[in-house]
Amino acid sequence: MALQEDLQYGKADFVLMDSVTLPEFMDNLKLRFEKGRIYTFIGEVVVSINPYKNLPIYGRDTIEQYKGRELYERPPHLFSIADAAYKAMKRRCKDTCIVISGESGAGKTEASKYIMQYIAAITNPSQRAEVERVKNMLLKSNCVLEAFGNAKTNRNDNSSRFGKYMDINFDFKGDPIGGHINNYLLEKLGERNFHSFYQMILGAPEQTLRSLHIQKDLSAYTYTRSLAQVKSNINDTSEYREVAEAMKVIGFKQEEIQTVYKILAAILHLGNLKFVVDGDTTMIENGKVVSVVADLLGSKSELLEKALLFRTVATGRDVIDKQHTEKEANYGRDAFSKAIYERLFCWIVTRINDVIDVRQQDASLHGKNTVIGVLDIYGFEIFDNNSFEQFCINYCNEKLQQLFIQLVLTQEQEEYQREGIPWKHIDYFNNQIIVDLVEQQHRGIISLLDDACMNVGKVTDAMFLDALNKQLGKHAHYSSRKVCPTDKALEYDRDFRIRHYAGDVVYSVVAFIDKNKDTLFQDFKRLMYNSANPVLKNMWPEGKLSITEVTKRPLTAATLFKNSMIALVDNLASKEPYYVRCIKPNDKKSPSLFDPERCRHQVEYLGLLENVRVRRAGFAYRQEYERFLHRYKMISQLTWPNHSLSSDRAAVQKLLEECRFHQDAAYGKTKVFIRTPRTLFSLEEKRSEMLLRIILFIQKMWRGTLARWRYKRTKAALTIIRYYRRYKVKSYILEVVKRFGGVRNSRDFGKNVKWPTPPKVLRRFQEALQNIHERYTSLCSMFYHCCGRSVYFGRHFRELLLRTQIKVSVHYFFFFTGGGPTN
């Protein structure tokens, strides 16, 4: 529960709204957008609104603020969801996934990149080289896939034209050790082609462009000409260098990188091929381009020309070459270009997977691997002309919305039943009926489309539409002009409408059958399989089949996509899901414009209001007893610092009773449920007040502790100094005694004995002692020579010392040296 932001920024969690109404929801969303707060919670779901500008909220300092924190401890952010998914994976050894959804241009791709960067930043604290290598490759793979799978559209500067699901594998310590990427339905060439073409034309060195026969001019090529004059914020030159460097880091060989750009150049040249008709014969108008394309693809120009102008057909045992019409030649050229690019993209994904895939490991030795999945997939789309691609994309979004309903809305209500909390069921729209309309066996749109593709003879798109009308005419979410003759928005024999959860979409059946068959003439497949370039050859394994070989009918594009979506949803359902719901504030890409109607439509079809209602119907907040106590135990003396009651549940009950909130709470088997947000605000206010007291108390105790530590250290230091000085003085005196102990028996009375180095404190004392010794030796020598060693020497010597006034000093010297020359 996010409670750390001031109310001037609105409610950080939609669950905390005073009343659950669409106007209040929209007001809060608008206020937070205008205040630069682009993230808001709905419980454990993050609602993200695209700011259309760079915000300074993704740096290292921000990462540290969210690292290891609970969802409710920090303001809403993508990092809070990423950290929650990572903690769940690491603590409970449970696979998790983050599902990012929303329409095109809502910021899904950027969200997935920030999540990846966060996970990379918080892992591998020991800086192991292998883990750093894996992290770097995972991040660099994003750069490459964006270049070849994303494009600029009218709605979005960096629109994903493919779906991407990436599994990141972690070892038992929580460090990334690899990953795997699945891609779904790469869209064909569209508004502005894929970034890779523009990066190559505008960013590649002149020498590279010359070798590819490419001009540094977007308008020179049919496939890039449409948006050549459109101003773009994308820096294709710098991104070309980034992609080339990323491919090297990942492990692409230099010859593989060269092949990639040869294929891109070949596609651009193919788009410039023009066909003319001379009588009954179709010819290529600019034949020199064929030689260039053949050279780039490692083929022979005459074989490429034949594949472009003829189709080889087997009739029984006979094989004939059928001349293309101009229309068929143009269709074959474009289909060939699209197929080459799609194969290239799939090869790039496979090549990346070869590098980052986790090899089989012994769990008993290396521990169990866990996974965080990140799904970044195309959003719901409604264009002026919606075709087969939009049909598949919107079906995908229906499947994901159905999963969201199942895991969030349904499970939310099931939690109350599990916990034994009285509950009144909340109605919400379940889009399973739309999913069944598309994918149901024998009766769904995909099944009917497949049947049309398998029929013998000429089957037109209009015939497919007629089959839809007969089978689905009474379905509540399907209509066409034949079913509803008064609906003039639909064209006869062309359009049908599906009432999606996100709104009504009109689809044109034109080319549905051809796109579903995904028909590419076999001549092109054999041509590519026989390429001299081994990379290209490996992309077309089915080209090895001869024209007379009978093969099993391949699955259609729609069925393949349906199967992949079912597998994806099953995979996501097996993990603990976390959701990011992205909203597009306007269609003008403006950082300051909030279009209320545009946003309201997205809020409605994403089911966000229903999510809030279910989340707070009856109870706006719920938490496990242990965690609830950990946060609020300082409010009551019975629970601070630790309680002595029979259970955490009993302690929570006592705490709420003492605060007089017990009538606004319910107690489940493992969680406490708070009914209204105001109660939670009151708890937070009490907690904040107590935290101030606790902080002051801790500061007081800590300062006292520091003072005591300083006193003890100072006292200990003085004691050590005192004892050390005594030790040094004693050591010095003992050393003097040792060196001068027998000087009375020596001829020079110790005059040549070397004095020890005194400690600093005894330097003046030693100087005085040396003076005494010098006098002593001088007197001893004088009396020795004058009087000899008579028995009266001692007495005369002492009288002389008294007369020379050094009695005290000599006594000290006698003490240190063990007496005079006589006893």
Side-chain angles (χ1 to χ4, degrees):
M1 193 66 61
L3 300 172
Q4 293 73 32
E5 290 186 317
D6 195 283
L7 288 178
Q8 65 171 314
Y9 302 114
K11 303 290 176 55
D13 194 324
F14 285 112
V15 174
L16 303 178
M17 293 190 302
D18 293 328
S19 60
V20 185
T21 62
L22 185 59
E24 184 169 344
F25 188 102
M26 296 304 301
D27 289 344
N28 191 58
L29 185 68
K30 181 180 180 181
L31 175 61
R32 290 185 64 76
F33 174 74
E34 291 173 346
K35 293 289 187 178
R37 298 303 192 267
I38 63 172
Y39 301 117
T40 314
F41 284 136
I42 302 179
E44 295 181 349
V45 174
V46 167
V47 178
S48 168
I49 187 164
N50 193 340
Y52 286 118
K53 62 181 179 181
N54 294 323
L55 296 175
I57 56 173
Y58 305 102
R60 186 73 210 184
D61 292 343
T62 308
I63 290 173
E64 290 299 324
Q65 291 175 18
Y66 284 86
K67 183 178 178 181
R69 298 287 185 173
E70 300 297 336
L71 276 173
Y72 54 79
E73 292 186 285
R74 287 287 181 266
H77 202 289
L78 285 174
F79 293 166
S80 56
I81 282 289
D83 198 77
Y86 179 73
K87 286 201 301 285
M89 179 275 300
K90 189 174 180 180
R91 290 174 181 174
R92 302 197 296 272
C93 291
K94 183 175 179 60
D95 292 344
T96 61
C97 64
I98 301 172
V99 181
I100 307 169
S101 59
E103 67 175 60
S104 179
K108 300 182 301 300
T109 299
E110 290 302 308
S112 70
K113 287 196 291 187
Y114 287 131
I115 287 170
M116 291 278 292
Q117 289 171 9
Y118 178 81
I119 293 173
I122 65 173
T123 53
N124 194 30
S126 57
Q127 295 294 306
R128 288 187 293 160
E130 176 61 19
V131 175
E132 285 299 307
R133 185 186 69 84
V134 170
K135 282 165 49 174
N136 199 23
M137 286 193 296
L138 289 172
L139 293 175
K140 294 295 185 183
S141 68
N142 261 339
C143 174
V144 176
L145 293 176
E146 273 191 29
F148 291 90
N150 289 22
K152 176 182 170 65
T153 67
N154 292 330
R155 293 185 168 202
N156 187 357
D157 281 349
N158 190 32
S159 178
S160 295
R161 310 320 295 162
F162 74 107
K164 179 184 71 177
Y165 174 75
M166 175 181 280
D167 270 333
I168 308 172
N169 295 82
F170 296 84
D171 61 16
F172 69 97
K173 295 189 293 296
D175 290 332
I177 55 174
H180 187 86
I181 299 168
N182 291 318
N183 64 294
Y184 305 94
L185 183 74
L186 177 72
E187 272 199 74
K188 313 306 180 186
L189 311 180
E191 301 169 25
R192 166 188 152 120
N193 223 309
F194 297 102
H195 294 325
S196 53
F197 291 104
Y198 299 85
Q199 291 172 5
M200 180 183 70
I201 294 173
L202 300 177
E206 290 291 342
Q207 183 179 354
T208 301
L209 292 178
R210 281 197 300 271
S211 68
L212 300 173
H213 307 281
I214 293 292
Q215 303 174 40
K216 211 179 191 69
D217 180 10
L218 296 176
S219 62
Y221 304 98
T222 303
Y223 289 152
T224 58
R225 189 175 298 150
S226 59
L227 290 182
Q229 304 303 322
V230 176
K231 187 177 180 180
S232 173
N233 295 325
I234 301 171
N235 189 333
D236 294 299
T237 303
S238 64
E239 290 192 1
Y240 171 85
R241 291 193 292 268
E242 288 178 18
V243 172
E245 180 61 29
M247 293 177 79
K248 291 178 184 177
V249 171
I250 292 170
F252 284 83
K253 299 175 183 175
Q254 187 58 40
E255 53 269 26
E256 291 176 331
I257 297 175
Q258 290 174 354
T259 296
V260 167
Y261 287 109
K262 282 183 179 180
I263 292 173
L264 294 180
I267 292 172
L268 290 176
H269 290 302
L270 274 173
N272 281 1
L273 281 176
K274 296 180 181 178
F275 299 95
V276 294
V277 178
D278 185 6
D280 294 333
T281 305
T282 304
M283 303 173 62
I284 298 175
E285 185 179 40
N286 43 351
K288 291 183 179 179
V289 178
V290 177
S291 300
V292 173
V293 175
D295 179 59
L296 292 170
L297 296 178
S299 182
K300 296 180 179 179
S301 56
E302 57 271 21
L303 295 178
L304 176 60
E305 185 173 353
K306 182 180 177 183
L308 289 166
L309 296 176
F310 296 88
R311 180 183 179 187
T312 305
V313 181
T315 57
R317 295 184 178 180
D318 298 327
V319 178
I320 60 172
D321 293 330
K322 182 183 175 183
Q323 174 86 44
H324 283 320
T325 63
E326 182 182 2
K327 182 179 179 181
E328 289 172 339
N330 281 313
Y331 171 82
R333 175 203 61 202
D334 291 339
F336 183 38
S337 299
K338 294 171 184 177
I340 292 175
Y341 195 83
E342 186 174 9
R343 298 290 177 107
L344 171 64
F345 184 80
C346 291
W347 175 81
I348 288 173
V349 172
T350 302
R351 188 71 180 80
I352 292 173
N353 282 335
D354 288 341
V355 177
I356 67 175
D357 263 345
V358 178
R359 307 297 177 225
Q360 289 295 328
Q361 291 186 344
D362 187 348
S364 62
L365 295 177
H366 302 281
K368 180 183 180 293
N369 289 343
T370 46
V371 167
I372 294 179
V374 180
L375 177 65
D376 169 24
I377 206 158
Y378 19 63
F380 192 87
E381 293 187 340
I382 305 176
F383 295 148
D384 293 333
N385 181 31
N386 300 290
S387 187
F388 178 77
E389 291 83 7
Q390 281 68 49
F391 172 76
C392 291
I393 286 171
N394 293 341
Y395 159 65
C396 164
N397 280 269
E398 289 285 357
K399 289 288 289 183
L400 294 176
Q401 176 68 5
Q402 204 276 326
L403 179 68
F404 177 78
I405 290 170
Q406 177 187 344
L407 295 182
V408 177
L409 303 184
T410 303
Q411 286 187 3
E412 179 81 15
Q413 303 197 58
E414 289 176 351
E415 181 178 24
Y416 294 110
Q417 297 175 0
R418 260 195 328 270
E419 293 286 332
I421 302 296
W423 170 254
K424 182 181 178 181
H425 183 77
I426 301 296
D427 290 327
Y428 53 86
F429 173 66
N430 192 330
N431 71 327
Q432 184 62 51
I433 187 173
I434 305 175
V435 173
D436 291 340
L437 170 67
V438 176
E439 71 176 20
Q440 190 175 18
Q441 288 290 338
H442 309 302
R443 299 191 61 185
I445 294 175
I446 290 177
S447 291
L448 296 173
L449 179 59
D450 286 352
D451 290 343
C453 292
M454 293 179 186
N455 286 338
V456 179
K458 182 67 174 177
V459 180
T460 64
D461 295 316
M463 293 169 65
F464 161 60
L465 180 59
D466 190 52
L468 291 181
N469 292 332
K470 290 177 182 178
Q471 189 70 44
L472 305 172
K474 296 182 180 180
H475 198 285
H477 291 267
Y478 172 88
S479 66
S480 69
R481 188 66 181 274
K482 187 174 182 179
V483 173
C484 185
T486 59
D487 191 346
K488 295 184 179 180
L490 302 173
E491 288 285 337
Y492 274 114
D493 296 333
R494 190 192 75 178
D495 296 340
F496 69 93
R497 179 188 289 118
I498 296 179
R499 289 177 56 197
H500 286 284
Y501 79 97
D504 294 356
V505 182
V506 176
Y507 297 100
S508 169
V509 296
V510 175
F512 254 62
I513 290 178
D514 286 338
K515 290 178 179 179
N516 189 44
K517 288 181 179 177
D518 208 12
T519 50
L520 177 68
F521 301 140
Q522 289 290 331
D523 304 74
F524 291 119
K525 296 179 182 178
R526 286 191 292 274
L527 178 72
M528 291 295 91
Y529 179 76
N530 292 308
S531 169
N533 189 314
V535 175
L536 266 169
K537 184 182 179 74
N538 291 333
M539 292 182 192
W540 303 84
E542 69 273 39
K544 67 180 178 181
L545 299 176
S546 68
I547 188 63
T548 56
E549 288 187 64
V550 178
T551 59
K552 183 179 178 181
R553 185 189 296 270
L555 294 176
T556 62
T559 297
L560 287 171
F561 187 70
K562 180 186 77 172
N563 293 342
S564 67
M565 284 298 103
I566 292 172
L568 172 63
V569 169
D570 289 343
N571 186 13
L572 295 175
S574 68
K575 296 175 170 60
E576 183 174 323
Y578 294 83
Y579 283 92
V580 179
R581 311 289 264 173
C582 298
I583 292 177
K584 185 177 183 179
N586 59 75
D587 288 323
K588 298 181 179 180
K589 305 174 187 175
S590 168
S592 58
L593 178 62
F594 184 90
D595 186 338
E597 191 61 29
R598 190 78 178 80
C599 295
R600 181 193 60 78
H601 177 64
Q602 296 172 76
V603 168
E604 287 180 338
Y605 78 66
L606 287 172
L608 299 183
L609 207 59
E610 287 82 357
N611 191 186
V612 176
R613 286 196 181 106
V614 171
R615 184 69 178 171
R616 64 169 276 167
F619 303 96
Y621 174 78
R622 79 289 321 272
Q623 189 57 268
E624 295 174 358
Y625 291 120
E626 182 183 359
R627 288 190 177 182
F628 186 87
L629 274 178
H630 182 72
R631 186 163 183 81
Y632 299 112
K633 63 182 180 179
M634 69 287 298
I635 294 174
S636 171
Q637 293 181 356
L638 293 172
T639 55
W640 178 258
N642 294 300
H643 69 85
S644 58
L645 298 172
S646 58
S647 65
D648 287 343
R649 173 175 174 165
V652 170
Q653 285 180 290
K654 286 291 185 182
L655 187 151
L656 292 175
E657 286 173 5
E658 186 177 323
C659 297
R660 298 180 181 179
F661 295 143
H662 57 284
Q663 293 181 348
D664 202 38
Y667 307 98
K669 296 175 182 177
T670 62
K671 295 181 179 180
V672 59
F673 293 78
I674 305 296
R675 189 175 301 279
T676 62
R678 294 188 184 279
T679 297
L680 197 60
F681 282 131
S682 298
L683 284 170
E684 284 293 327
E685 288 173 2
K686 290 178 178 292
R687 178 178 181 271
S688 298
E689 291 173 4
M690 289 305 301
L691 280 179
L692 288 176
R693 298 183 188 179
I694 292 170
I695 289 169
L696 290 174
F697 177 76
I698 292 173
Q699 287 177 341
K700 180 186 73 173
M701 297 301 295
W702 180 243
R703 285 168 181 160
T705 301
L706 288 177
R708 284 189 291 273
W709 282 355
R710 283 195 293 268
Y711 168 75
K712 289 179 180 179
R713 282 199 299 267
T714 304
K715 182 179 179 181
L718 291 173
T719 301
I720 291 170
I721 291 171
R722 186 168 64 249
Y723 276 90
Y724 183 71
R725 283 178 176 174
R726 287 175 60 182
Y727 162 76
K728 294 295 285 185
V729 169
K730 184 177 180 180
S731 299
Y732 171 77
I733 291 173
L734 291 175
E735 183 65 23
V736 170
V737 170
K738 178 180 176 182
R739 295 190 183 190
F740 290 90
V743 297
R744 63 182 180 178
N745 299 320
S746 64
R747 292 180 63 88
D748 60 357
F749 300 101
K751 193 173 185 178
N752 295 321
V753 175
K754 185 178 180 181
W755 287 79
T757 303
K760 189 174 182 180
V761 71
L762 293 180
R763 284 179 184 172
R764 292 180 64 186
F765 174 75
Q766 179 171 288
E767 291 174 0
L769 206 59
Q770 285 177 325
N771 290 333
I772 294 170
H773 180 251
E774 288 175 1
R775 293 180 183 182
Y776 164 76
T777 53
S778 298
L779 289 172
C780 286
S781 298
M782 181 181 65
F783 279 100
Y784 181 80
H785 291 296
C786 296
C787 306
R789 298 184 61 86
S790 67
V791 293
Y792 301 107
F793 173 74
R795 179 168 57 85
H796 294 302
F797 180 56
R798 286 180 175 85
E799 291 175 356
L800 181 61
L801 290 177
L802 287 172
R803 286 195 295 270
T804 55
Q805 299 180 353
I806 57 172
K807 178 180 179 182
V808 176
S809 296
V810 173
H811 274 285
Y812 274 111
F813 188 77
F814 287 162
F815 171 77
F816 291 137
T817 57
T822 60
N823 292 329

